[in-house]
Amino acid sequence: MFYDRPKADLLDRLIQFPWLLIAVATLLAGIGCVTLYSVAGGSVDPWAGRHALRYLAALALAIGLAMVPSRLWRSTAGAFYIVALGLLAAVPIVGVDALGAKRWLKVAGVSVQPVEIMKVALVLALAQFYAVLENSRRASRPQWVLFALTIIAVPALLTVRQPDLGSAILLTGVGLGIMFLAGVSLWWFGGGLALMAAAIPFAPALLHDYQRRRIETFLDPSRDPLGAGYHIAQARIALGNGGLDGQGYLQGTQSQLDFVPEKMTDFVFVAIAEEWGFVGAVTVLALYATVIVILFVMALKADRAFAGLTIAGTALMLTVYVTINIAMVTGLVPVVGVPLPLISYGGTAMITLMIALGLAMSANRRA
Amino acid sequence: MAVVGPTRQRWLLSQPATAPDDAAVFTRRAVVVGMGNAAVFGGLAARLYDLQVLNGSQHGALAESNRSRTIWIPPVRGRIIDARGRLLATNRELFRIVLYPQRGTTRPDVARIAAELSPRFGVEGAELEARLMTALRQTNPLPVILADGLSFGDIAALQLSSIGAANVLVEPRHQRVYPELSVSAQFALAHIVGHVGAVDRLSLDDGPHLKDPGARIGKTGVEAGAETDLSGVAGRTVYEIDARGRHVRRLDERAAISGRDVTLTIDLALQEAVTATFATAGRGGALDGPPSGAAVVLDIASGAILAMVSTPSFDASAARAAGPQWRAYTADPARPLVNRATTGHYPPGSTFKMVTALAALEAGRVTLGEKIECWGEVTYAGHTYRCWNRRGHVATDLHRALRESCDCYFYEAARRTGIDAIARMAIELGLGQVYADAGIAPQRAGLIPTPAWKRSRASRSSPSSRTGWLLGETILAGIGQGYVLTTPLQLAVMTARIASGRKVIPTIVARDSRDPLPEHAPLAVSETHLVALRRALSAVVNEPGGTGQAADPGDGPTLVGGKMRVAGKTGTSQVSKASADRDRTKPLARTQRDHALFVGYAPADAPRFAIALVLEHAGSGGTAAAPVFAELVRLLIAHDTATVQLRSKTAPLPKEG
């Protein structure tokens, strides 16, 4: 590098920006707007317009975060994690009920979901933890593996209890992914897999009734075609209706006529696949893959462990979101309530992901 | 990693020496994660390919039925009208209240609907609720009829406000009604008009609207026989619906096409008169009670069924009410509900000799002048066959054999001709078949036996009964006994075909008066043989020694300018062996007595009407059935002159040779 980094001015910082990443993310959010316009029956209201505004706000926030030097995040990561954990723990006590689950906290009139804060906080905390540990041999020592597992498991368990199985899976997946990237010995992973296999028979006891029902329905959707199996059956009809090249924009009968439940949130991918067909669905999948590849390339170029792990953690988060969501709507895994980031209507997931992207972009800059 | 850039070496700031490979570990593992990621995304793409492209059409086909609901509009059934425009069956507009179950109709909704409707229609609330819940549990729920048979006033009085939102619709529909008629008319028409009833399992596929629980189709009589004309074509309204079953918009609408009105060839007045005449038949004769049997009167030129009687009959209006009277009819051993004219299986007896005669002549096995000796009985292959006349007929030619109904002559003629030729002639003359276009149901085909039929029957029943066709079976068939079975309608058709030389096809549905008369194909029988046969049939009634002299209508029905002659053939069909072997001094139980038959046409020289009569267990055809024929001819002529001024079909009769 040929410029004086500490004195880099705003213009330099902007030039350094991963514009391709922002362009693809914006394209995905645009696809979200276009799809939400269609599922509303060809109307900007009530979803497409708000979705666009939310994305612009989240993008501004991400760029703002990217401007902040990443050492600030690094130094506050531990505290951030503890605050997030405190909020998460407060939910069962002072949380607000919505749709049979306690997920929200009302702070000064603003509703927040502590688990969303935790998703970002966990990535930062683990990145910082492994940066402090300094090498993979120490990272593989039992006490540190146990420590890392604890800071993953505590928020994950609190989240399962809310109940929010989707977010818990996301926390666990991202956390374990960071541990793997940080170089924790493969023996630990092998042992963990063996333990999990042994624990599967006992899992049903830990699940809520509705979660168990979803898994049962997943295994046999015809058991209850108008009840819990309805999501899966209707999604399958709409996907089939899409075919290779789709019904055409604004022509998706199944998603527009409300047959596909949650067509604007968790099942929005079905609407895309119905109107644009297999070609459109794979294109969207490829755009996500592009974002993930850009992030991994950024992570590999990073000059610090904290930066590399933060960026990779963001890539993992996006991967887990997309994989679970599409696997869910195509009936490969049970319906767990994970949105498709940037496309699904709903502010929380988008803001979480954009904050993570902002932190990744911040880490990308040479500190 | 072979190449590690300068920035890489600063990966671990404090202890670069202790773990020189850590940056490489990160790179390696990132590549592993990336590859795993690619595999997962590839798997998702494969899954999408499977669901959308490979199996897409299968699931996609469900999309159309998912988003539309078709409400079928039943067609208005055609009316049934007699030959003089009297209404015999029509429709009344009524209303019904129907619930179209939809996703999202919940148990509280059902309870509310049930609570609201039960006091108004006298249905138990719990029972109604149970019915609704059952319907809702179906994957593809059928509409539930909440109330039926409501008049416009009932509908106006109902306040359906609170259930209006729950897909409860008021639908007009048409109920079949049969106008009030006199009791005698009810009895006379019972088998002809028939009735409608709920759709049976087999007919369910004939039209989608038939799946409606309120749908009705013809079950018997013209209602069933002319179903295709009467039923019409269902209309439909297709709605686009959303996931909750609410109508979004109308996608398609097609009005129902009403069924065609069916005008019968039956004139109620004539039908009643024929029925009344038939009911007095056999009074004071061999019968010790009301007669049972059937009569069919055909118009030879058109094949129109002018009258059709089956006794005992029943009060159609009482039977349609499906009350205790209906149960009494079904339990009655006299079986009044059976239409004997179209489904009664009777051995044709000597009336079948016309078939044997034509078959033998056509095959060249007997000639018109040839005489065959009859000594009262004849023996073939060790079996003895008797003539009805124990004294025998000496040497008879065909003319005399028919006139006096000599059995021996026809045993020999049948033996020479063979069963297959006889069966072919029977089919040619209209026996052994149903007339699908006759407009009346049910019908039975009767039985014209052949060796092939016997083989197939034997293979179906026990193999031990498998014997080949026997000579004796041909000989018995030659006089219309043995296996041979016919219906009165078939016998009337046979008579009409012999009288006209054409393949008359019977129908009970009047042709449009503008249409030309149906052109019936000529019979495959030589005219010479037909003329000889007709002359013999006239001799049966008009020559001394004829068995059917009682069929002569006498001087009563003089048409303008002269006496009318008729022609026909008697038949006395044996029901049980007892009647043949009996000690003639003892009376037989009624059910063992012979059936009396007479078939004939009038006038003999220019045939217009063909009549077949079967009087069950009434004794001999010549004494029991022939007088009824004479009365029916008188009745027909009187009716004819009363209605139409008869065209001059009354040229002086040629002398018979």
Side-chain angles (χ1 to χ4, degrees), chain B residues 99-118 125 128-133 136 146 160-168 244-246:
Chain B
L99 170 76
Y100 285 89
Q102 61 187 31
R103 191 178 143 72
T105 304
T106 57
R107 187 172 269 280
D109 291 333
V110 168
R112 191 164 43 77
I113 294 165
E116 185 173 23
L117 286 176
S118 63
L128 186 57
E129 201 176 324
R131 261 173 60 204
L132 293 180
M133 287 312 294
L136 280 170
L146 298 175
L160 290 171
S161 56
S162 61
I163 57 172
N167 263 20
V168 176
R244 273 176 214 89
R246 290 176 302 208

Side-chain angles (χ1 to χ4, degrees), chain A residues 134 136 184 226 259 300, chain B residues 8 12 22 29 47 66 103:
Chain A
E134 289 179 351
S136 55
V184 173
L226 288 180
F259 285 105
L300 287 174
Chain B
R8 266 289 177 257
L12 297 160
D22 275 1
R29 294 207 171 177
R47 173 67 169 175
N66 217 348
R103 191 178 143 72

